[in-house]
Amino acid sequence: GLRLLLLREPELDDVQLRTIAPSLLAQSHACGARVLVSSRHAGALPGRFDGLHLTAGDLARAHQRPSADLVAASVHTREELMRAHALGCDFAMLGPVHATASHPGAPILEWSGFERVARDTPIPLYGIGGLTVADLADARRAGAHGIALLRAAWNSP
């Protein structure tokens, strides 16, 4: 059921990324899924993906929308969310909602904090950070369009 994947592997070097990219794209496209590449990898993998996902740092440095069919951004605050909207991002991911191994020690929003940031959001917004499929109802109540899963995506039914 996954329809959108994000290649975000900060521990891999450019050679490793270029090695796995063709297979990842082929398998994803064969299943009808699109693949975004993290802006941290864009230099190593130019022009091979369905879209670009801006890190919060790259979002802050961007002066115009990147030339990609689909552009997303990681956001952690209302200001970053509004920057993503002003830049013309198609959607954003807000978190971390819960504690997560990928961002140890990061400030946690919980659903109440997500809701404060998401209120009247001008673009689709997805929750991320320590989430499972069981969080989907809470996400929708907090104003999310859905949730992004990392580890839980591989363990969900």
Side-chain angles (χ1 to χ4, degrees), residues 57-122:
D58 287 337
L59 172 66
R61 289 184 287 276
H63 297 290
Q64 62 186 25
R65 178 189 164 99
S67 60
D69 290 341
L70 186 60
V71 178
S74 286
V75 300
H76 307 92
T77 65
R78 180 74 180 175
E79 293 75 23
E80 288 175 345
L81 174 58
M82 298 314 292
R83 174 121 178 94
H85 170 61
L87 199 62
C89 290
D90 297 294
F91 68 93
M93 289 188 220
L94 171 62
V97 176
H98 299 312
T100 176
S102 64
H103 293 80
I108 305 304
L109 291 170
E110 297 298 340
W111 287 117
S112 59
F114 184 100
E115 187 172 11
R116 279 191 301 277
V117 173
R119 190 168 290 123
D120 301 319
T121 182

